[in-house]
Coordinates of all heavy atoms in Angstrom, one line a residue:
M290 N -15.6 35.1 -27.7 CA -16.1 34.7 -26.4 C -15.1 33.8 -25.7 O -14.5 32.9 -26.3 CB -17.4 34.0 -26.7 CG -18.0 33.4 -25.4 SD -19.1 32.1 -25.5 CE -20.6 32.5 -26.0
E291 N -14.8 34.2 -24.5 CA -13.9 33.4 -23.6 C -14.6 32.2 -23.1 O -15.8 32.3 -22.7 CB -13.3 34.3 -22.6 CG -12.3 35.2 -23.1 CD -11.6 35.9 -21.9 OE1 -11.4 35.3 -20.9 OE2 -11.3 37.1 -22.1
T292 N -13.9 31.1 -22.9 CA -14.4 29.9 -22.2 C -13.6 29.7 -20.9 O -12.4 29.6 -21.0 CB -14.3 28.7 -23.1 OG1 -15.0 29.0 -24.3 CG2 -14.9 27.5 -22.4
D293 N -14.3 29.6 -19.8 CA -13.6 29.3 -18.6 C -13.4 27.8 -18.5 O -14.4 27.0 -18.7 CB -14.4 29.8 -17.4 CG -14.3 31.3 -17.3 OD1 -13.3 31.9 -17.8 OD2 -15.2 31.9 -16.7
T294 N -12.3 27.4 -18.1 CA -12.1 25.9 -17.8 C -11.8 25.7 -16.4 O -11.0 26.4 -15.7 CB -10.7 25.5 -18.6 OG1 -10.9 25.8 -20.0 CG2 -10.6 24.0 -18.4
C295 N -12.6 24.7 -15.9 CA -12.4 24.3 -14.4 C -11.7 23.0 -14.3 O -12.2 22.1 -15.0 CB -13.8 24.3 -13.9 SG -13.7 23.9 -12.1
T296 N -10.7 22.9 -13.6 CA -9.9 21.7 -13.5 C -10.1 21.3 -12.0 O -9.9 22.0 -11.1 CB -8.5 21.8 -13.8 OG1 -8.4 22.4 -15.1 CG2 -7.8 20.5 -13.6
T297 N -10.6 20.1 -11.9 CA -10.7 19.5 -10.5 C -9.5 18.6 -10.2 O -9.2 17.7 -11.0 CB -11.9 18.6 -10.4 OG1 -13.1 19.5 -10.6 CG2 -12.1 18.2 -9.0
E298 N -8.8 18.9 -9.1 CA -7.6 18.2 -8.7 C -8.1 16.8 -8.0 O -8.9 16.9 -7.2 CB -6.7 19.0 -7.8 CG -5.5 18.2 -7.4 CD -4.5 18.1 -8.5 OE1 -4.5 18.9 -9.4 OE2 -3.7 17.1 -8.4
V299 N -7.6 15.8 -8.6 CA -8.0 14.4 -7.9 C -6.9 14.1 -6.9 O -5.7 14.1 -7.2 CB -8.0 13.4 -9.1 CG1 -8.3 11.9 -8.5 CG2 -9.1 13.7 -10.2
A300 N -7.3 13.7 -5.8 CA -6.4 13.4 -4.6 C -5.8 12.0 -5.0 O -6.4 11.1 -5.6 CB -7.2 13.3 -3.3
A301 N -4.6 11.8 -4.4 CA -3.9 10.5 -4.4 C -4.6 9.6 -3.5 O -5.5 9.9 -2.7 CB -2.5 10.7 -3.9
P302 N -4.4 8.2 -3.8 CA -5.1 7.2 -2.9 C -4.8 7.4 -1.5 O -3.6 7.8 -1.2 CB -4.6 5.8 -3.5 CG -4.1 6.2 -4.9 CD -3.6 7.6 -4.9
V303 N -5.7 6.9 -0.6 CA -5.5 6.9 0.8 C -5.2 5.5 1.2 O -5.9 4.6 0.8 CB -6.7 7.4 1.6 CG1 -6.5 7.4 3.1 CG2 -7.0 8.9 1.2
V304 N -4.1 5.3 1.9 CA -3.5 3.9 2.2 C -3.3 3.8 3.7 O -2.7 4.7 4.2 CB -2.3 3.6 1.4 CG1 -1.8 2.2 1.7 CG2 -2.5 3.8 -0.1
S305 N -3.7 2.7 4.3 CA -3.3 2.4 5.6 C -3.0 0.9 5.8 O -3.6 0.1 5.0 CB -4.4 2.9 6.7 OG -5.5 2.2 6.5
F306 N -2.2 0.5 6.7 CA -2.0 -0.9 7.0 C -3.1 -1.5 7.8 O -3.4 -0.9 8.9 CB -0.6 -1.1 7.6 CG 0.6 -1.0 6.7 CD1 1.1 0.2 6.4 CD2 1.1 -2.2 6.2 CE1 2.2 0.3 5.6 CE2 2.1 -2.0 5.2 CZ 2.7 -0.8 5.0
A307 N -3.8 -2.6 7.3 CA -4.8 -3.3 8.1 C -4.1 -4.2 9.1 O -4.5 -4.4 10.3 CB -5.8 -4.0 7.2
S308 N -3.0 -4.9 8.5 CA -2.2 -5.8 9.4 C -0.9 -6.1 8.5 O -0.9 -6.1 7.4 CB -3.0 -7.1 9.7 OG -3.1 -7.8 8.6
P309 N 0.2 -6.2 9.3 CA 0.4 -6.0 10.7 C 0.4 -4.5 11.0 O 0.3 -3.6 10.1 CB 1.7 -6.6 11.0 CG 2.5 -6.4 9.7 CD 1.4 -6.6 8.6
S310 N 0.5 -4.2 12.3 CA 0.7 -2.7 12.7 C 2.1 -2.4 12.9 O 3.0 -3.2 13.0 CB 0.0 -2.6 14.0 OG -1.4 -2.8 13.9
D311 N 2.4 -1.1 12.9 CA 3.7 -0.6 13.0 C 4.2 -1.1 14.4 O 3.5 -1.0 15.4 CB 3.7 0.9 13.0 CG 5.1 1.5 12.9 OD1 6.0 0.9 12.3 OD2 5.4 2.5 13.6
G312 N 5.5 -1.7 14.4 CA 6.0 -2.1 15.6 C 5.7 -3.5 16.0 O 6.2 -4.0 17.1
D313 N 4.8 -4.2 15.4 CA 4.4 -5.6 15.6 C 5.6 -6.5 15.6 O 6.5 -6.3 14.8 CB 3.4 -6.1 14.7 CG 2.0 -5.8 15.1 OD1 1.8 -5.0 16.1 OD2 1.0 -6.1 14.4
I314 N 5.6 -7.5 16.6 CA 6.6 -8.5 16.6 C 6.0 -9.7 15.9 O 4.9 -10.2 16.3 CB 7.0 -8.9 18.0 CG1 7.7 -7.7 18.6 CG2 7.9 -10.1 18.0 CD1 8.0 -7.8 20.0
V315 N 6.6 -10.3 14.9 CA 6.1 -11.4 14.2 C 7.0 -12.6 14.3 O 8.2 -12.4 14.3 CB 5.8 -11.1 12.6 CG1 4.8 -10.1 12.5 CG2 7.1 -10.7 12.0
A316 N 6.5 -13.8 14.4 CA 7.3 -15.0 14.7 C 7.6 -15.8 13.4 O 7.7 -17.1 13.6 CB 6.6 -15.8 15.8
S317 N 7.4 -15.3 12.3 CA 7.5 -16.0 11.1 C 8.3 -15.2 10.0 O 8.1 -14.0 10.0 CB 6.2 -16.4 10.5 OG 6.3 -17.0 9.2
K318 N 9.0 -15.9 9.2 CA 9.8 -15.1 8.1 C 8.9 -15.0 6.9 O 9.3 -14.3 5.9 CB 11.1 -15.9 7.8 CG 12.1 -15.9 8.8 CD 13.4 -16.7 8.3 CE 14.4 -16.6 9.4 NZ 15.6 -17.2 8.9
S319 N 7.7 -15.5 6.9 CA 6.7 -15.3 5.9 C 5.5 -14.6 6.6 O 5.1 -14.9 7.6 CB 6.2 -16.7 5.4 OG 5.3 -16.5 4.4
L320 N 5.1 -13.5 5.9 CA 4.1 -12.6 6.5 C 3.0 -12.2 5.5 O 3.4 -11.7 4.3 CB 4.8 -11.4 7.0 CG 4.1 -10.3 7.7 CD1 3.4 -10.8 9.0 CD2 5.0 -9.1 8.1
V321 N 1.8 -12.3 5.7 CA 0.8 -11.7 4.9 C 0.5 -10.3 5.4 O 0.2 -10.0 6.6 CB -0.6 -12.5 5.0 CG1 -1.7 -11.9 4.2 CG2 -0.3 -13.9 4.6
V322 N 0.6 -9.4 4.4 CA 0.4 -8.0 4.8 C -0.8 -7.5 4.0 O -1.1 -7.8 2.8 CB 1.6 -7.1 4.2 CG1 1.3 -5.6 4.5 CG2 2.9 -7.6 4.9
S323 N -1.7 -6.8 4.8 CA -3.0 -6.3 4.2 C -3.0 -4.8 4.3 O -2.7 -4.2 5.3 CB -4.2 -6.9 5.0 OG -4.2 -8.4 4.9
L324 N -3.6 -4.2 3.3 CA -3.7 -2.7 3.2 C -5.2 -2.4 3.0 O -5.9 -3.0 2.3 CB -3.0 -2.2 2.0 CG -1.5 -2.4 2.0 CD1 -1.0 -1.9 0.6 CD2 -0.8 -1.7 3.1
N325 N -5.6 -1.3 3.6 CA -6.9 -0.6 3.3 C -6.5 0.5 2.3 O -5.7 1.3 2.6 CB -7.5 0.0 4.6 CG -7.9 -1.0 5.6 OD1 -8.5 -1.9 5.3 ND2 -7.5 -0.8 6.8
V326 N -7.3 0.5 1.2 CA -7.0 1.5 0.1 C -8.3 2.1 -0.3 O -9.3 1.4 -0.5 CB -6.4 0.8 -1.1 CG1 -6.1 1.8 -2.2 CG2 -5.0 0.1 -0.7
S327 N -8.3 3.5 -0.4 CA -9.5 4.1 -0.9 C -9.0 5.2 -2.0 O -7.9 5.7 -1.8 CB -10.4 4.8 0.2 OG -9.6 5.8 0.8
S328 N -9.8 5.4 -3.0 CA -9.5 6.3 -4.0 C -10.7 6.7 -4.8 O -11.7 6.0 -4.8 CB -8.6 5.6 -5.0 OG -8.2 6.4 -6.1
T329 N -10.7 7.9 -5.3 CA -11.8 8.5 -6.1 C -11.7 7.9 -7.5 O -12.7 8.1 -8.4 CB -11.8 9.9 -6.1 OG1 -10.6 10.4 -6.6 CG2 -12.1 10.5 -4.7
T330 N -10.7 7.3 -7.9 CA -10.5 6.6 -9.2 C -10.1 5.2 -9.0 O -9.8 4.7 -8.0 CB -9.4 7.5 -10.1 OG1 -8.2 7.3 -9.4 CG2 -9.8 8.9 -10.2
T331 N -9.9 4.5 -10.2 CA -9.6 3.1 -10.2 C -8.1 3.0 -9.8 O -7.2 3.8 -10.1 CB -9.6 2.6 -11.7 OG1 -11.0 2.8 -12.1 CG2 -9.3 1.1 -11.8
I332 N -7.8 1.9 -9.0 CA -6.5 1.6 -8.6 C -5.8 0.8 -9.6 O -6.3 -0.2 -10.1 CB -6.5 0.8 -7.2 CG1 -7.2 1.5 -6.1 CG2 -5.1 0.3 -6.9 CD1 -6.5 2.9 -5.8
K333 N -4.6 1.4 -10.1 CA -3.8 0.7 -11.1 C -2.9 -0.4 -10.6 O -2.8 -1.4 -11.1 CB -3.1 1.8 -11.9 CG -2.3 1.2 -13.0 CD -1.6 2.4 -13.7 CE -0.7 1.9 -14.8 NZ 0.1 2.9 -15.5
S334 N -2.2 0.0 -9.5 CA -1.3 -1.1 -8.9 C -1.1 -0.8 -7.4 O -1.2 0.2 -6.9 CB 0.1 -1.0 -9.6 OG 0.8 0.2 -9.2
V335 N -0.9 -1.9 -6.7 CA -0.7 -1.9 -5.3 C 0.5 -2.8 -5.1 O 0.5 -4.1 -5.4 CB -1.9 -2.5 -4.5 CG1 -1.5 -2.5 -3.0 CG2 -3.1 -1.6 -4.7
K336 N 1.6 -2.3 -4.5 CA 2.8 -3.2 -4.3 C 3.3 -3.0 -2.8 O 3.2 -1.9 -2.3 CB 4.0 -2.8 -5.2 CG 3.7 -3.1 -6.6 CD 4.9 -2.9 -7.5 CE 4.5 -3.3 -8.9 NZ 5.7 -3.7 -9.7
I337 N 3.6 -4.1 -2.3 CA 4.1 -4.1 -0.9 C 5.5 -4.8 -0.9 O 5.7 -5.9 -1.4 CB 3.2 -5.0 0.1 CG1 1.7 -4.3 0.0 CG2 3.8 -5.0 1.4 CD1 0.7 -5.2 0.7
N338 N 6.5 -4.0 -0.6 CA 7.9 -4.4 -0.8 C 8.1 -5.0 -2.2 O 8.8 -6.1 -2.3 CB 8.3 -5.4 0.3 CG 8.6 -4.7 1.7 OD1 8.1 -3.6 1.9 ND2 9.3 -5.4 2.5
S339 N 7.6 -4.3 -3.2 CA 7.7 -4.7 -4.6 C 7.0 -6.0 -5.0 O 7.1 -6.4 -6.1 CB 9.2 -4.9 -5.0 OG 9.9 -3.6 -4.7
V340 N 6.2 -6.5 -4.1 CA 5.4 -7.6 -4.4 C 4.0 -7.2 -4.8 O 3.4 -6.3 -4.0 CB 5.3 -8.6 -3.2 CG1 4.3 -9.8 -3.5 CG2 6.7 -9.1 -2.9
N341 N 3.4 -7.6 -5.9 CA 2.1 -7.2 -6.3 C 1.1 -7.7 -5.3 O 1.0 -8.9 -5.0 CB 1.7 -7.7 -7.7 CG 2.5 -7.0 -8.8 OD1 2.7 -5.8 -8.7 ND2 3.0 -7.8 -9.8
A342 N 0.2 -6.7 -4.8 CA -0.9 -7.2 -3.9 C -2.1 -7.4 -4.7 O -2.4 -6.8 -5.8 CB -1.1 -6.1 -2.8
K343 N -2.9 -8.3 -4.2 CA -4.2 -8.6 -4.8 C -5.4 -8.3 -3.9 O -5.3 -8.4 -2.8 CB -4.3 -10.2 -5.1 CG -3.2 -10.5 -6.1 CD -3.3 -12.0 -6.5 CE -2.2 -12.2 -7.5 NZ -2.0 -13.4 -8.0
L344 N -6.5 -7.8 -4.6 CA -7.7 -7.5 -3.9 C -8.3 -8.7 -3.3 O -8.5 -9.7 -4.0 CB -8.7 -6.8 -4.8 CG -9.9 -6.3 -4.1 CD1 -9.6 -5.2 -3.1 CD2 -10.8 -5.7 -5.2
N345 N -8.5 -8.7 -2.0 CA -9.0 -9.8 -1.3 C -10.2 -9.3 -0.4 O -10.0 -8.9 0.8 CB -8.0 -10.5 -0.4 CG -8.5 -11.7 0.3 OD1 -9.5 -12.3 0.0 ND2 -7.8 -12.1 1.4
G346 N -11.4 -9.3 -0.9 CA -12.6 -8.7 -0.2 C -12.4 -7.2 -0.2 O -12.4 -6.5 -1.2
S347 N -12.1 -6.6 1.0 CA -12.0 -5.1 1.1 C -10.6 -4.7 1.3 O -10.3 -3.5 1.4 CB -12.9 -4.6 2.3 OG -12.4 -5.2 3.5
T348 N -9.6 -5.7 1.3 CA -8.2 -5.3 1.5 C -7.4 -5.7 0.3 O -7.8 -6.7 -0.4 CB -7.6 -5.8 2.8 OG1 -7.7 -7.3 2.7 CG2 -8.4 -5.3 4.0
Y349 N -6.2 -5.2 0.1 CA -5.2 -5.7 -0.8 C -4.1 -6.5 0.0 O -3.6 -5.9 1.1 CB -4.5 -4.5 -1.5 CG -5.4 -3.9 -2.6 CD1 -6.3 -3.0 -2.4 CD2 -5.3 -4.4 -3.9 CE1 -7.1 -2.4 -3.3 CE2 -6.1 -3.8 -4.9 CZ -7.0 -2.9 -4.6 OH -7.8 -2.3 -5.6
D350 N -3.9 -7.7 -0.3 CA -3.0 -8.6 0.4 C -1.8 -9.0 -0.5 O -2.0 -9.2 -1.6 CB -3.7 -9.8 0.9 CG -4.9 -9.5 1.8 OD1 -5.0 -8.4 2.3 OD2 -5.7 -10.4 2.0
A351 N -0.7 -9.1 0.2 CA 0.5 -9.7 -0.4 C 1.2 -10.6 0.7 O 1.3 -10.2 1.9 CB 1.4 -8.6 -0.9
T352 N 1.8 -11.6 0.3 CA 2.6 -12.5 1.1 C 4.1 -12.1 0.9 O 4.6 -12.2 -0.2 CB 2.4 -13.9 0.9 OG1 1.0 -14.3 1.1 CG2 3.3 -14.8 1.8
L353 N 4.8 -11.7 2.0 CA 6.3 -11.5 1.9 C 7.0 -12.7 2.5 O 6.6 -13.2 3.6 CB 6.6 -10.2 2.8 CG 5.8 -9.0 2.4 CD1 6.3 -7.8 3.3 CD2 6.0 -8.6 0.9
S354 N 7.8 -13.3 1.8 CA 8.5 -14.5 2.1 C 10.0 -14.2 2.4 O 10.6 -13.2 2.0 CB 8.5 -15.5 0.9 OG 7.1 -15.8 0.7
S355 N 10.6 -15.1 3.2 CA 12.0 -15.0 3.5 C 12.5 -13.7 4.1 O 13.6 -13.1 3.8 CB 12.8 -15.3 2.3 OG 12.5 -16.5 1.7
L356 N 11.6 -13.2 5.0 CA 12.1 -11.9 5.7 C 13.2 -12.2 6.7 O 13.1 -13.2 7.5 CB 10.9 -11.4 6.5 CG 9.7 -10.8 5.7 CD1 8.5 -10.5 6.6 CD2 10.2 -9.5 4.9
P357 N 14.3 -11.5 6.7 CA 15.4 -11.7 7.6 C 14.9 -11.4 9.0 O 14.0 -10.6 9.3 CB 16.4 -10.8 7.1 CG 16.0 -10.0 6.0 CD 14.5 -10.4 5.7
L358 N 15.7 -11.9 10.0 CA 15.3 -11.6 11.4 C 15.7 -10.2 11.7 O 16.6 -9.6 11.1 CB 16.1 -12.6 12.3 CG 15.8 -14.1 12.2 CD1 16.7 -14.9 13.1 CD2 14.4 -14.3 12.6
G359 N 15.0 -9.6 12.7 CA 15.3 -8.2 13.1 C 14.2 -7.2 12.6 O 13.2 -7.6 12.1
T360 N 14.4 -6.0 12.7 CA 13.5 -5.0 12.3 C 13.5 -4.9 10.8 O 14.6 -4.7 10.1 CB 13.9 -3.6 12.9 OG1 13.9 -3.7 14.3 CG2 12.9 -2.6 12.5
Q361 N 12.3 -5.0 10.2 CA 12.2 -4.9 8.7 C 11.2 -3.8 8.3 O 10.1 -3.7 9.0 CB 11.7 -6.2 8.2 CG 12.7 -7.4 8.5 CD 14.0 -7.2 7.9 OE1 14.2 -6.7 6.8 NE2 15.0 -7.5 8.8
K362 N 11.5 -3.1 7.3 CA 10.6 -2.0 6.9 C 9.7 -2.6 5.8 O 10.2 -3.3 4.9 CB 11.3 -0.8 6.3 CG 10.4 0.3 5.9 CD 11.2 1.6 5.6 CE 11.7 2.2 6.8 NZ 10.9 2.6 7.8
I363 N 8.4 -2.4 6.0 CA 7.4 -2.8 4.9 C 6.9 -1.5 4.3 O 6.3 -0.7 4.9 CB 6.3 -3.6 5.6 CG1 6.9 -4.9 6.3 CG2 5.3 -4.0 4.5 CD1 5.9 -5.7 7.0
T364 N 7.1 -1.5 3.0 CA 6.7 -0.2 2.3 C 5.6 -0.6 1.2 O 5.7 -1.6 0.5 CB 7.9 0.3 1.5 OG1 8.9 0.6 2.5 CG2 7.5 1.6 0.8
A365 N 4.5 0.2 1.3 CA 3.4 0.0 0.3 C 3.4 1.2 -0.6 O 3.5 2.3 -0.2 CB 2.1 -0.1 1.1
V366 N 3.2 0.9 -1.9 CA 3.0 1.9 -3.0 C 1.7 1.7 -3.7 O 1.7 0.6 -4.3 CB 4.3 1.9 -3.9 CG1 4.1 3.1 -5.0 CG2 5.6 2.2 -3.1
V367 N 0.9 2.6 -3.8 CA -0.4 2.5 -4.4 C -0.5 3.6 -5.4 O -0.3 4.7 -5.2 CB -1.6 2.6 -3.4 CG1 -2.9 2.5 -4.1 CG2 -1.5 1.5 -2.3
T368 N -0.9 3.1 -6.6 CA -0.9 4.1 -7.8 C -2.3 3.9 -8.4 O -2.8 2.9 -8.6 CB 0.2 3.8 -8.9 OG1 1.4 3.8 -8.2 CG2 0.1 4.8 -10.0
D369 N -3.0 5.1 -8.7 CA -4.3 5.1 -9.3 C -4.1 5.3 -10.8 O -3.1 5.4 -11.4 CB -5.2 6.1 -8.7 CG -4.8 7.6 -8.9 OD1 -4.1 7.9 -9.8 OD2 -5.4 8.4 -8.2
A370 N -5.3 5.2 -11.5 CA -5.3 5.3 -13.0 C -4.8 6.7 -13.5 O -4.5 6.8 -14.6 CB -6.8 5.0 -13.5
N371 N -4.8 7.7 -12.6 CA -4.4 9.0 -13.0 C -2.9 9.2 -12.8 O -2.4 10.2 -13.1 CB -5.1 10.1 -12.3 CG -6.5 10.2 -12.7 OD1 -6.9 10.0 -13.8 ND2 -7.4 10.4 -11.7
G372 N -2.2 8.1 -12.3 CA -0.8 8.1 -12.0 C -0.4 8.7 -10.8 O 0.8 9.0 -10.4
K373 N -1.4 9.1 -9.9 CA -1.1 9.6 -8.5 C -0.8 8.4 -7.6 O -1.4 7.3 -7.6 CB -2.4 10.3 -8.0 CG -2.8 11.5 -8.8 CD -2.5 12.7 -8.1 CE -3.0 13.9 -8.9 NZ -2.8 15.1 -8.2
S374 N 0.3 8.5 -6.9 CA 0.8 7.5 -6.0 C 0.9 7.9 -4.5 O 1.1 9.2 -4.2 CB 2.2 7.1 -6.4 OG 2.2 6.5 -7.6
T375 N 0.7 7.0 -3.6 CA 0.8 7.2 -2.2 C 1.8 6.1 -1.7 O 1.6 4.9 -2.1 CB -0.5 7.0 -1.5 OG1 -1.3 8.1 -2.0 CG2 -0.3 7.3 0.0
T376 N 2.7 6.5 -1.0 CA 3.7 5.5 -0.3 C 3.6 5.6 1.2 O 3.6 6.8 1.7 CB 5.2 5.9 -0.8 OG1 5.2 5.8 -2.2 CG2 6.1 4.8 -0.2
T377 N 3.5 4.5 1.8 CA 3.5 4.5 3.3 C 4.3 3.3 3.8 O 4.5 2.3 3.1 CB 2.0 4.5 3.9 OG1 2.1 4.7 5.2 CG2 1.3 3.2 3.5
A378 N 4.8 3.4 5.0 CA 5.7 2.3 5.5 C 5.5 2.1 7.0 O 5.1 3.1 7.7 CB 7.2 2.6 5.2
I379 N 5.7 0.9 7.5 CA 5.8 0.5 8.8 C 7.0 -0.3 9.1 O 7.7 -0.8 8.1 CB 4.5 -0.3 9.3 CG1 4.4 -1.5 8.5 CG2 3.3 0.6 9.2 CD1 3.3 -2.5 9.0
D380 N 7.4 -0.5 10.3 CA 8.5 -1.4 10.7 C 7.9 -2.6 11.5 O 6.9 -2.4 12.3 CB 9.4 -0.8 11.6 CG 10.3 0.2 10.9 OD1 10.5 0.1 9.7 OD2 10.7 1.3 11.5
V381 N 8.3 -3.8 11.2 CA 7.9 -4.9 12.0 C 9.2 -5.6 12.5 O 10.3 -5.5 11.9 CB 7.1 -6.0 11.2 CG1 5.8 -5.4 10.9 CG2 7.8 -6.6 10.1
I382 N 9.1 -6.4 13.6 CA 10.2 -7.1 14.1 C 10.1 -8.6 13.9 O 9.1 -9.2 14.4 CB 10.5 -6.8 15.7 CG1 10.6 -5.3 15.9 CG2 11.6 -7.6 16.2 CD1 10.5 -4.8 17.3
V383 N 10.9 -9.2 13.1 CA 10.9 -10.6 12.8 C 11.7 -11.3 13.8 O 12.9 -11.1 13.9 CB 11.3 -10.9 11.4 CG1 11.2 -12.4 11.1 CG2 10.4 -10.0 10.3
Q384 N 11.1 -12.3 14.5 CA 11.9 -13.1 15.5 C 12.0 -14.5 15.0 O 11.2 -15.1 14.3 CB 11.2 -13.0 16.8 CG 11.3 -11.7 17.4 CD 10.8 -11.7 18.9 OE1 10.1 -12.4 19.4 NE2 11.3 -10.7 19.6

């Protein structure tokens, strides 16, 4: 007797920046970055520019310090318990 196996593909986490927005001008070298994250499985890690973000209510937040002046790329990497990752990035202008 044959057994059919059904495998359901689990999607990677969905990530968007809550703040700041792409292209924002910020007047501080220290910046709190917030992400909206949704996933069908448990989130294993959230990093923003390699800084571990912490769950704060409904967003994941991290403080980036000592940002140089000028255009800076902020990159978020979210990994779920299945090892699926999503990477997204924005640019901000530090003045």
Side-chain angles (χ1 to χ4, degrees):
M290 179 199 284
E291 285 187 39
T292 303
D293 289 334
T294 303
C295 179
T296 303
T297 302
E298 183 67 26
V299 177
V303 176
V304 182
S305 64
F306 282 86
S308 68
S310 296
D311 190 38
D313 275 0
I314 297 171
V315 296
S317 173
K318 292 183 179 185
S319 180
L320 179 65
V321 176
V322 179
S323 298
L324 300 175
N325 295 311
V326 177
S327 64
S328 178
T329 57
T330 63
T331 303
I332 297 299
K333 181 178 175 184
S334 72
V335 178
K336 294 190 177 202
I337 303 171
N338 282 21
S339 300
V340 174
N341 289 320
K343 295 185 180 179
L344 185 59
N345 181 20
S347 62
T348 61
Y349 284 86
D350 299 344
T352 300
L353 305 182
S354 302
S355 304
L356 291 171
L358 296 176
T360 302
Q361 302 302 319
K362 183 166 291 303
I363 299 175
T364 303
V366 180
V367 178
T368 306
D369 69 16
N371 293 324
K373 299 252 182 178
S374 293
T375 299
T376 302
T377 190
I379 61 170
D380 290 326
V381 297
I382 301 165
V383 180
Q384 292 187 334

